[in-house]
Amino acid sequence: MSGQDGGCDMEGGPDVSWTAEVTTSGVSAAAVPSGSSGSSSSLAGQAHEVLAVVLQIRAGRLSVLLWERARAPFAGFWALPGGRLGWQEDLDPSIRRQLAQKVDVRDLTHLEQLETRGEPERHPGGRVLATAYLGLVPADLDPVIPADTSWHPATQLPQMAFDHAGIVDSGRRRLRAKLSYTNVGFALAPPEFTMSELSGYYRAALGHDVAATNLRRVLLRRGQIEDTGRCVPSGRSGGRPAALFRFRQRELEVTDAFAVLRPPHRG
Amino acid sequence: MSGQDGGCDMEGGPDVSWTAEVTTSGVSAAAVPSGSSGSSSSLAGQAHEVLAVVLQIRAGRLSVLLWERARAPFAGFWALPGGRLGWQEDLDPSIRRQLAQKVDVRDLTHLEQLETRGEPERHPGGRVLATAYLGLVPADLDPVIPADTSWHPATQLPQMAFDHAGIVDSGRRRLRAKLSYTNVGFALAPPEFTMSELSGYYRAALGHDVAATNLRRVLLRRGQIEDTGRCVPSGRSGGRPAALFRFRQRELEVTDAFAVLRPPHRG
DNA sequence: GCAAAAGTGTTTCAACTACACCCATGT
DNA sequence: ACATGGGTGTAGTTGAAACACTTTTGC
């Protein structure tokens, strides 16, 4: 979205007006949970889970971490890592805790909230709200993951449980948008990298070619990356040794509110 | 966001690893609510409310709809409209229903999800999760609102209840970003408008000057607006009559994934 | 005619893409 | 030497901001 950015959850919406019926059930008390218990339905809360779309560039492809469900519903289908929100737990800590089961949390270089889904029918077993997060793992790591868990190319997902396919898509779009106007690249790349490596990560995440030459200049101009002064020895087939770069910041920054990185004209 | 876009919920995050302790409580069953009830805490769900940041340009200022709380907690403070999520209710319909108490839902030209907050302490009365929405009302309407409710300039909020001030800020930032790379303008403007009126709405929402001359060309080039062919009679002080424009689409579209509308260099 | 407001033409500028060319290394 | 891959210089393109100038109205 963003640019970019961000998601685009537009809703056409019904034309019906509930104005008449609703005003009966205590207007001002609506936002007070422990106060007047006006409506009968608000006694019990709703089950709430947190999920994560964990993305990493693996072998030049944007990949998602999924686990295979052993039991019904959706036995044999693949699902996003996550689980129930604890009773007095905040959302961010919760998804970090849940992810600890699948991947070492220290491997996550970035984590941000994506969206919350509340369709009553999204979970066959009963009403469960889900807040989804986007998590990123740098390309040089290979986290230890459980046996029921594996990485899948984000562009060709296996049979997905619940509404998780749509959530993965939200994550991909969010990442793509933010690569254009923020420095999220730092979360995909290792601490140091050559420009051709970096352009590979961008290509995988954006889905189109990214010229290393221009990427270098764009990111340098924006102050996102800097030259370490060191080089990487050239390969067995020769070639000039590549300079090593690093991101200047390892936290999310908006570097170009009105952004760039458009697909090439020809090619 | 492109654009802007979008929100930027970055988290630095703790270095602690919970890996050891968590694996005890049944790994694969985490996302199955009605299946094996492994953990003791997941029996009761959490209270969940929906809130809306309803924005409108009123008298040249970006304004937000708030209601004044009558009772504790935060008696006399101002809060966002909203209320408890119904037992079998989806999030979007719920916020529409809740808003029906404050403003006719038919007046809303745009509604999108903003973010979900889950800090355990965000509500003094007990644990309440909140999913916030951004709603827009076109500048020509003056919806009928209840006595305890009124519009406030979004830049100078009154004493706000709970974490609602932060949520209003998220809404403002989201709107600003999306004005740059989508056609959300349609949701702020009346069905037909002159370019100087429209630039006034953009100025109010963006917080900086927007030249009607250039806005016209940008939005025409992008195909967002079109000339109706009709004019508005000039005022008593004369002047050339202004042409009437309309947005071509009245649903959200991304018109420029890598967007524009930067603040003026000088001025 | 003159002031006021809207609209047009033109210049300038920033930021990027494309591409030709130069540089450093291995064999 | 020369193939290979990285880096630099530079031209071309796009989209928008700035601003002078023209058009159309009321008085």
Side-chain angles (χ1 to χ4, degrees):
Chain A
M1 217 31 44
S2 20
Q4 38 234 277
D5 99 84
C8 308
D9 307 339
M10 173 54 180
E11 276 287 313
D15 297 334
V16 203
S17 161
W18 292 273
T19 320
E21 38 172 335
V22 188
T23 33
T24 54
S25 62
V27 177
S28 308
V32 191
S34 59
S36 59
S37 53
S39 56
S40 57
S41 61
S42 62
L43 280 173
Q46 281 92 353
H48 199 111
E49 62 180 4
V50 287
L51 301 171
V53 181
V54 179
L55 298 178
Q56 185 190 22
I57 316 286
R58 298 178 69 85
R61 315 188 72 173
L62 185 65
S63 310
V64 203
L65 189 68
L66 301 175
W67 65 277
E68 190 175 14
R69 292 179 57 83
R71 354 184 178 184
F74 293 104
F77 285 54
W78 295 81
L80 292 172
R84 284 300 188 80
L85 179 65
W87 179 240
Q88 281 293 355
E89 196 180 26
D90 197 354
L91 292 165
D92 278 43
S94 181
I95 189 59
R96 288 199 136 89
R97 176 178 63 78
Q98 310 276 359
L99 279 179
Q101 301 172 357
K102 300 294 183 186
V103 61
D104 191 328
V105 281
R106 282 168 296 197
D107 296 342
L108 282 177
T109 34
H110 178 65
L111 189 64
E112 72 177 46
Q113 200 185 94
L114 265 182
E115 65 188 18
T116 298
R117 302 224 172 183
E119 296 89 338
E121 309 304 335
R122 65 175 292 277
H123 203 299
R127 213 286 161 73
V128 184
L129 292 158
T131 296
Y133 277 75
L134 170 65
L136 299 177
V137 174
D140 59 326
L141 299 183
D142 193 7
V144 183
I145 56 177
D148 61 352
T149 304
S150 62
W151 296 93
H152 296 258
T155 46
Q156 42 189 101
L157 296 171
Q159 279 218 300
M160 298 286 288
F162 311 102
D163 50 3
H164 292 193
I167 297 178
V168 172
D169 242 58
S170 298
R172 280 180 54 213
R173 271 179 289 134
R174 178 78 128 252
L175 174 61
R176 230 185 317 162
K178 287 213 165 176
L179 275 177
S180 292
Y181 66 94
T182 72
N183 65 342
V184 241
F186 82 84
L188 294 177
E192 302 193 336
F193 46 84
T194 67
M195 283 317 296
S196 43
E197 282 162 9
L198 190 65
S199 75
Y201 308 142
Y202 275 74
R203 168 167 39 253
L206 292 174
H208 65 77
D209 249 337
V210 177
T213 284
N214 290 329
L215 183 64
R216 170 211 193 88
R217 280 196 274 230
V218 168
L219 297 189
L220 278 174
R221 172 176 29 231
R222 293 187 183 170
Q224 282 191 28
I225 60 173
E226 64 189 358
D227 199 325
T228 63
R230 276 168 304 116
C231 280
V232 133
S234 42
R236 42 213 155 287
S237 60
R240 178 168 171 172
L244 275 175
F245 290 83
R246 73 168 82 90
F247 277 89
R248 305 224 289 182
Q249 267 287 342
R250 311 227 8 120
E251 275 191 19
L252 191 69
E253 280 188 318
V254 175
T255 57
D256 190 31
F258 312 108
V260 227
L261 288 175
R262 29 193 151 176
H265 288 181
R266 343 173 183 174
Chain B
M1 249 48 357
S2 215
Q4 314 352 23
D5 151 344
C8 306
D9 307 340
M10 173 53 180
E11 275 287 313
D15 297 333
V16 201
S17 162
W18 292 274
T19 320
E21 38 173 335
V22 187
T23 34
T24 55
S25 63
V27 177
S28 308
V32 190
S34 61
S36 58
S37 52
S39 58
S40 57
S41 61
S42 62
L43 280 173
Q46 282 89 354
H48 200 111
E49 62 181 5
V50 287
L51 301 170
V53 180
V54 179
L55 298 178
Q56 185 189 23
I57 314 285
R58 298 178 68 86
R61 316 188 71 172
L62 184 65
S63 309
V64 62
L65 188 69
L66 301 175
W67 66 277
E68 190 175 13
R69 292 181 56 84
R71 356 183 177 182
F74 294 104
F77 286 54
W78 294 81
L80 292 170
R84 285 298 189 81
L85 179 65
W87 179 240
Q88 282 293 354
E89 197 179 25
D90 196 354
L91 291 165
D92 278 43
S94 181
I95 190 58
R96 288 200 136 87
R97 175 178 63 79
Q98 310 276 0
L99 280 178
Q101 301 172 357
K102 300 293 181 187
V103 59
D104 192 326
V105 280
R106 282 168 298 199
D107 295 342
L108 282 177
T109 34
H110 179 63
L111 189 64
E112 72 177 46
Q113 199 185 97
L114 265 182
E115 67 188 15
T116 299
R117 304 224 170 184
E119 296 91 339
E121 309 305 335
R122 63 175 293 278
H123 203 300
R127 211 285 163 73
V128 185
L129 292 158
T131 297
Y133 277 75
L134 169 65
L136 300 177
V137 174
D140 59 326
L141 298 183
D142 193 8
V144 183
I145 57 177
D148 61 353
T149 304
S150 62
W151 295 93
H152 296 258
T155 45
Q156 45 190 99
L157 296 171
Q159 279 218 301
M160 297 287 287
F162 312 102
D163 50 4
H164 292 193
I167 298 177
V168 172
D169 241 58
S170 297
R172 280 179 56 211
R173 271 178 290 135
R174 178 77 128 254
L175 173 61
R176 231 186 316 161
K178 288 213 165 177
L179 274 177
S180 291
Y181 65 93
T182 71
N183 65 342
V184 243
F186 81 84
L188 294 177
E192 301 193 337
F193 47 85
T194 67
M195 283 317 296
S196 42
E197 282 162 9
L198 190 65
S199 76
Y201 307 143
Y202 275 72
R203 168 165 41 251
L206 292 174
H208 64 77
D209 249 337
V210 176
T213 284
N214 290 330
L215 184 64
R216 170 211 191 88
R217 281 197 273 228
V218 168
L219 297 188
L220 279 173
R221 171 172 33 227
R222 294 188 182 170
Q224 282 192 28
I225 59 173
E226 65 189 357
D227 199 324
T228 63
R230 279 169 301 118
C231 281
V232 135
S234 42
R236 42 215 157 286
S237 59
R240 179 169 169 171
L244 275 174
F245 289 82
R246 73 168 82 91
F247 276 90
R248 304 224 289 182
Q249 268 287 342
R250 312 229 4 122
E251 273 188 22
L252 190 69
E253 280 188 318
V254 176
T255 57
D256 190 32
F258 312 107
V260 227
L261 286 177
R262 29 193 153 176
H265 286 182
R266 342 171 186 176

Short mmCIF file of all heavy atoms in Angstrom, two decimals, chain A residues 122-163:
data_model
loop_
_atom_site.label_atom_id
_atom_site.label_comp_id
_atom_site.label_asym_id
_atom_site.label_seq_id
_atom_site.Cartn_x
_atom_site.Cartn_y
_atom_site.Cartn_z
N ARG A 122 -16.32 -18.85 10.47
CA ARG A 122 -14.95 -19.12 10.01
C ARG A 122 -14.35 -20.35 10.67
O ARG A 122 -13.40 -20.94 10.18
CB ARG A 122 -14.04 -17.91 10.21
CG ARG A 122 -13.80 -17.51 11.65
CD ARG A 122 -12.77 -16.37 11.74
NE ARG A 122 -11.47 -16.83 11.34
CZ ARG A 122 -10.62 -17.47 12.14
NH1 ARG A 122 -10.96 -17.74 13.38
NH2 ARG A 122 -9.45 -17.86 11.69
N HIS A 123 -14.90 -20.74 11.81
CA HIS A 123 -14.38 -21.89 12.54
C HIS A 123 -15.53 -22.87 12.79
O HIS A 123 -16.46 -22.53 13.50
CB HIS A 123 -13.77 -21.44 13.86
CG HIS A 123 -12.76 -22.39 14.40
ND1 HIS A 123 -13.08 -23.69 14.73
CD2 HIS A 123 -11.44 -22.25 14.66
CE1 HIS A 123 -11.99 -24.29 15.19
NE2 HIS A 123 -10.99 -23.44 15.15
N PRO A 124 -15.45 -24.07 12.22
CA PRO A 124 -16.56 -25.03 12.34
C PRO A 124 -16.85 -25.40 13.79
O PRO A 124 -18.00 -25.68 14.15
CB PRO A 124 -16.05 -26.27 11.58
CG PRO A 124 -14.93 -25.81 10.75
CD PRO A 124 -14.33 -24.62 11.42
N GLY A 125 -15.85 -25.39 14.64
CA GLY A 125 -16.04 -25.84 16.01
C GLY A 125 -16.74 -24.85 16.90
O GLY A 125 -17.03 -25.17 18.06
N GLY A 126 -17.03 -23.68 16.41
CA GLY A 126 -17.65 -22.66 17.25
C GLY A 126 -17.04 -21.32 16.96
O GLY A 126 -16.10 -21.19 16.20
N ARG A 127 -17.59 -20.30 17.58
CA ARG A 127 -17.18 -18.94 17.30
C ARG A 127 -15.76 -18.66 17.81
O ARG A 127 -15.52 -18.76 19.01
CB ARG A 127 -18.17 -17.99 18.01
CG ARG A 127 -18.43 -16.70 17.30
CD ARG A 127 -17.30 -15.78 17.40
NE ARG A 127 -17.26 -14.71 16.44
CZ ARG A 127 -18.05 -13.65 16.43
NH1 ARG A 127 -19.02 -13.53 17.28
NH2 ARG A 127 -17.89 -12.72 15.54
N VAL A 128 -14.87 -18.30 16.90
CA VAL A 128 -13.51 -17.93 17.28
C VAL A 128 -13.07 -16.73 16.46
O VAL A 128 -12.99 -16.80 15.23
CB VAL A 128 -12.49 -19.07 17.02
CG1 VAL A 128 -11.11 -18.66 17.54
CG2 VAL A 128 -12.93 -20.36 17.67
N LEU A 129 -12.76 -15.64 17.13
CA LEU A 129 -12.18 -14.49 16.45
C LEU A 129 -10.68 -14.74 16.26
O LEU A 129 -10.06 -15.44 17.07
CB LEU A 129 -12.37 -13.23 17.29
CG LEU A 129 -13.80 -12.74 17.43
CD1 LEU A 129 -13.95 -11.86 18.65
CD2 LEU A 129 -14.21 -11.99 16.18
N ALA A 130 -10.12 -14.19 15.23
CA ALA A 130 -8.69 -14.38 15.01
C ALA A 130 -8.02 -13.06 14.65
O ALA A 130 -8.47 -12.35 13.75
CB ALA A 130 -8.45 -15.38 13.89
N THR A 131 -6.95 -12.72 15.37
CA THR A 131 -6.13 -11.57 15.01
C THR A 131 -4.85 -12.10 14.38
O THR A 131 -4.12 -12.88 15.00
CB THR A 131 -5.82 -10.72 16.23
OG1 THR A 131 -7.03 -10.18 16.74
CG2 THR A 131 -4.88 -9.57 15.87
N ALA A 132 -4.61 -11.67 13.14
CA ALA A 132 -3.46 -12.18 12.40
C ALA A 132 -2.31 -11.19 12.42
O ALA A 132 -2.51 -9.98 12.39
CB ALA A 132 -3.86 -12.47 10.96
N TYR A 133 -1.11 -11.74 12.47
CA TYR A 133 0.11 -10.95 12.45
C TYR A 133 0.96 -11.32 11.24
O TYR A 133 0.82 -12.41 10.69
CB TYR A 133 0.93 -11.19 13.73
CG TYR A 133 0.45 -10.35 14.89
CD1 TYR A 133 -0.72 -10.66 15.56
CD2 TYR A 133 1.16 -9.24 15.29
CE1 TYR A 133 -1.17 -9.88 16.61
CE2 TYR A 133 0.72 -8.45 16.33
CZ TYR A 133 -0.44 -8.77 16.99
OH TYR A 133 -0.88 -7.98 18.01
N LEU A 134 1.83 -10.38 10.87
CA LEU A 134 2.84 -10.67 9.85
C LEU A 134 4.19 -10.72 10.54
O LEU A 134 4.56 -9.79 11.24
CB LEU A 134 2.84 -9.57 8.79
CG LEU A 134 4.00 -9.59 7.80
CD1 LEU A 134 3.95 -10.84 6.94
CD2 LEU A 134 3.99 -8.35 6.92
N GLY A 135 4.90 -11.84 10.37
CA GLY A 135 6.22 -11.98 10.95
C GLY A 135 7.25 -12.24 9.86
O GLY A 135 6.94 -12.89 8.86
N LEU A 136 8.46 -11.71 10.04
CA LEU A 136 9.49 -11.89 9.02
C LEU A 136 10.75 -12.51 9.63
O LEU A 136 11.14 -12.18 10.75
CB LEU A 136 9.82 -10.55 8.36
CG LEU A 136 8.66 -9.86 7.65
CD1 LEU A 136 9.08 -8.52 7.09
CD2 LEU A 136 8.09 -10.74 6.54
N VAL A 137 11.37 -13.41 8.86
CA VAL A 137 12.60 -14.08 9.27
C VAL A 137 13.65 -13.80 8.20
O VAL A 137 13.37 -13.94 7.01
CB VAL A 137 12.35 -15.61 9.37
CG1 VAL A 137 13.65 -16.34 9.65
CG2 VAL A 137 11.32 -15.92 10.44
N PRO A 138 14.84 -13.39 8.59
CA PRO A 138 15.87 -13.09 7.60
C PRO A 138 16.32 -14.33 6.82
O PRO A 138 16.27 -15.44 7.34
CB PRO A 138 17.02 -12.52 8.43
CG PRO A 138 16.75 -12.91 9.83
CD PRO A 138 15.27 -13.10 9.95
N ALA A 139 16.78 -14.09 5.62
CA ALA A 139 17.02 -15.19 4.67
C ALA A 139 18.16 -16.10 5.08
O ALA A 139 18.24 -17.25 4.62
CB ALA A 139 17.30 -14.60 3.28
N ASP A 140 19.06 -15.62 5.95
CA ASP A 140 20.22 -16.45 6.27
C ASP A 140 19.95 -17.47 7.36
O ASP A 140 20.77 -18.35 7.60
CB ASP A 140 21.41 -15.56 6.68
CG ASP A 140 21.06 -14.70 7.91
OD1 ASP A 140 19.88 -14.30 8.03
OD2 ASP A 140 21.95 -14.45 8.72
N LEU A 141 18.82 -17.36 8.03
CA LEU A 141 18.54 -18.28 9.14
C LEU A 141 17.78 -19.50 8.65
O LEU A 141 17.04 -19.44 7.66
CB LEU A 141 17.72 -17.57 10.22
CG LEU A 141 18.40 -16.37 10.88
CD1 LEU A 141 17.51 -15.82 11.98
CD2 LEU A 141 19.76 -16.77 11.43
N ASP A 142 17.95 -20.60 9.37
CA ASP A 142 17.15 -21.78 9.10
C ASP A 142 16.66 -22.32 10.43
O ASP A 142 17.25 -23.24 11.01
CB ASP A 142 17.98 -22.84 8.35
CG ASP A 142 17.07 -23.92 7.78
OD1 ASP A 142 15.84 -23.76 7.86
OD2 ASP A 142 17.61 -24.92 7.27
N PRO A 143 15.59 -21.73 10.93
CA PRO A 143 15.15 -22.03 12.29
C PRO A 143 14.81 -23.51 12.44
O PRO A 143 14.38 -24.16 11.48
CB PRO A 143 13.87 -21.19 12.43
CG PRO A 143 13.90 -20.19 11.35
CD PRO A 143 14.70 -20.80 10.24
N VAL A 144 15.01 -24.02 13.64
CA VAL A 144 14.59 -25.37 13.95
C VAL A 144 13.07 -25.37 14.08
O VAL A 144 12.51 -24.56 14.82
CB VAL A 144 15.20 -25.83 15.29
CG1 VAL A 144 14.82 -27.28 15.57
CG2 VAL A 144 16.70 -25.65 15.26
N ILE A 145 12.40 -26.23 13.32
CA ILE A 145 10.94 -26.26 13.38
C ILE A 145 10.47 -27.68 13.65
O ILE A 145 11.16 -28.64 13.31
CB ILE A 145 10.30 -25.72 12.07
CG1 ILE A 145 10.81 -26.51 10.86
CG2 ILE A 145 10.60 -24.24 11.90
CD1 ILE A 145 10.17 -26.07 9.56
N PRO A 146 9.30 -27.82 14.27
CA PRO A 146 8.77 -29.14 14.62
C PRO A 146 8.50 -30.00 13.39
O PRO A 146 8.44 -29.51 12.26
CB PRO A 146 7.46 -28.83 15.35
CG PRO A 146 7.52 -27.39 15.70
CD PRO A 146 8.42 -26.74 14.72
N ALA A 147 8.28 -31.29 13.62
CA ALA A 147 8.09 -32.24 12.53
C ALA A 147 6.83 -31.96 11.70
O ALA A 147 6.83 -32.17 10.49
CB ALA A 147 8.03 -33.66 13.09
N ASP A 148 5.78 -31.50 12.37
CA ASP A 148 4.52 -31.29 11.63
C ASP A 148 4.52 -29.97 10.87
O ASP A 148 3.50 -29.57 10.31
CB ASP A 148 3.33 -31.33 12.60
CG ASP A 148 3.42 -30.24 13.66
OD1 ASP A 148 4.46 -29.56 13.74
OD2 ASP A 148 2.45 -30.08 14.42
N THR A 149 5.66 -29.29 10.86
CA THR A 149 5.72 -27.93 10.34
C THR A 149 6.68 -27.86 9.16
O THR A 149 7.70 -28.53 9.15
CB THR A 149 6.24 -26.99 11.47
OG1 THR A 149 5.38 -27.15 12.60
CG2 THR A 149 6.25 -25.56 11.03
N SER A 150 6.33 -27.04 8.16
CA SER A 150 7.30 -26.83 7.08
C SER A 150 7.01 -25.55 6.31
O SER A 150 5.96 -24.93 6.46
CB SER A 150 7.30 -28.03 6.13
OG SER A 150 6.04 -28.18 5.54
N TRP A 151 7.97 -25.19 5.47
CA TRP A 151 7.86 -23.97 4.67
C TRP A 151 7.22 -24.30 3.32
O TRP A 151 7.53 -25.32 2.71
CB TRP A 151 9.24 -23.37 4.43
CG TRP A 151 9.90 -22.91 5.68
CD1 TRP A 151 10.76 -23.62 6.47
CD2 TRP A 151 9.76 -21.62 6.30
NE1 TRP A 151 11.17 -22.87 7.54
CE2 TRP A 151 10.58 -21.62 7.47
CE3 TRP A 151 9.04 -20.47 6.00
CZ2 TRP A 151 10.68 -20.52 8.32
CZ3 TRP A 151 9.16 -19.37 6.85
CH2 TRP A 151 9.96 -19.40 7.99
N HIS A 152 6.35 -23.40 2.87
CA HIS A 152 5.69 -23.59 1.58
C HIS A 152 5.81 -22.31 0.77
O HIS A 152 5.74 -21.22 1.34
CB HIS A 152 4.21 -23.91 1.79
CG HIS A 152 3.97 -25.19 2.50
ND1 HIS A 152 3.60 -26.36 1.87
CD2 HIS A 152 4.07 -25.51 3.82
CE1 HIS A 152 3.48 -27.32 2.75
NE2 HIS A 152 3.76 -26.85 3.95
N PRO A 153 5.97 -22.44 -0.55
CA PRO A 153 6.00 -21.22 -1.37
C PRO A 153 4.69 -20.45 -1.22
O PRO A 153 3.60 -21.02 -1.33
CB PRO A 153 6.18 -21.74 -2.80
CG PRO A 153 5.99 -23.21 -2.73
CD PRO A 153 6.21 -23.65 -1.33
N ALA A 154 4.80 -19.16 -0.97
CA ALA A 154 3.60 -18.36 -0.67
C ALA A 154 2.71 -18.21 -1.90
O ALA A 154 1.54 -17.84 -1.78
CB ALA A 154 4.02 -16.99 -0.15
N THR A 155 3.25 -18.50 -3.07
CA THR A 155 2.45 -18.32 -4.28
C THR A 155 1.66 -19.57 -4.65
O THR A 155 0.72 -19.49 -5.42
CB THR A 155 3.36 -17.95 -5.46
OG1 THR A 155 4.49 -18.83 -5.45
CG2 THR A 155 3.83 -16.52 -5.34
N GLN A 156 2.09 -20.73 -4.13
CA GLN A 156 1.29 -21.93 -4.40
C GLN A 156 1.10 -22.70 -3.10
O GLN A 156 1.83 -23.63 -2.79
CB GLN A 156 1.93 -22.80 -5.48
CG GLN A 156 3.43 -22.96 -5.37
CD GLN A 156 4.03 -23.64 -6.58
OE1 GLN A 156 4.59 -22.97 -7.44
NE2 GLN A 156 3.92 -24.96 -6.68
N LEU A 157 0.05 -22.29 -2.39
CA LEU A 157 -0.23 -22.84 -1.08
C LEU A 157 -0.84 -24.23 -1.20
O LEU A 157 -1.52 -24.53 -2.19
CB LEU A 157 -1.19 -21.91 -0.33
CG LEU A 157 -0.65 -20.51 -0.02
CD1 LEU A 157 -1.76 -19.62 0.51
CD2 LEU A 157 0.49 -20.60 0.98
N PRO A 158 -0.61 -25.06 -0.21
CA PRO A 158 -1.31 -26.36 -0.18
C PRO A 158 -2.76 -26.14 0.26
O PRO A 158 -3.19 -25.00 0.42
CB PRO A 158 -0.53 -27.12 0.89
CG PRO A 158 -0.02 -26.07 1.81
CD PRO A 158 0.27 -24.87 0.93
N GLN A 159 -3.50 -27.20 0.45
CA GLN A 159 -4.89 -27.07 0.92
C GLN A 159 -4.89 -26.46 2.31
O GLN A 159 -4.37 -27.04 3.26
CB GLN A 159 -5.54 -28.46 0.98
CG GLN A 159 -6.02 -28.94 -0.37
CD GLN A 159 -7.33 -29.69 -0.24
OE1 GLN A 159 -7.40 -30.70 0.45
NE2 GLN A 159 -8.36 -29.20 -0.89
N MET A 160 -5.50 -25.29 2.42
CA MET A 160 -5.40 -24.54 3.67
C MET A 160 -6.65 -24.70 4.52
O MET A 160 -7.77 -24.73 4.01
CB MET A 160 -5.18 -23.07 3.37
CG MET A 160 -3.88 -22.79 2.62
SD MET A 160 -2.43 -22.94 3.67
CE MET A 160 -2.61 -21.48 4.68
N ALA A 161 -6.45 -24.77 5.83
CA ALA A 161 -7.56 -24.88 6.77
C ALA A 161 -8.19 -23.52 7.02
O ALA A 161 -7.55 -22.49 6.82
CB ALA A 161 -7.05 -25.46 8.09
N PHE A 162 -9.45 -23.52 7.40
CA PHE A 162 -10.18 -22.30 7.78
C PHE A 162 -10.04 -21.23 6.68
O PHE A 162 -10.03 -21.58 5.50
CB PHE A 162 -9.66 -21.76 9.13
CG PHE A 162 -9.58 -22.82 10.20
CD1 PHE A 162 -8.36 -23.39 10.55
CD2 PHE A 162 -10.73 -23.28 10.82
CE1 PHE A 162 -8.29 -24.37 11.52
CE2 PHE A 162 -10.66 -24.27 11.80
CZ PHE A 162 -9.44 -24.81 12.13
N ASP A 163 -9.90 -19.98 7.10
CA ASP A 163 -9.73 -18.89 6.14
C ASP A 163 -8.26 -18.49 6.02
O ASP A 163 -7.95 -17.36 5.64
CB ASP A 163 -10.57 -17.68 6.58
CG ASP A 163 -10.32 -17.33 8.04
OD1 ASP A 163 -9.47 -17.98 8.68
OD2 ASP A 163 -10.99 -16.41 8.55
#
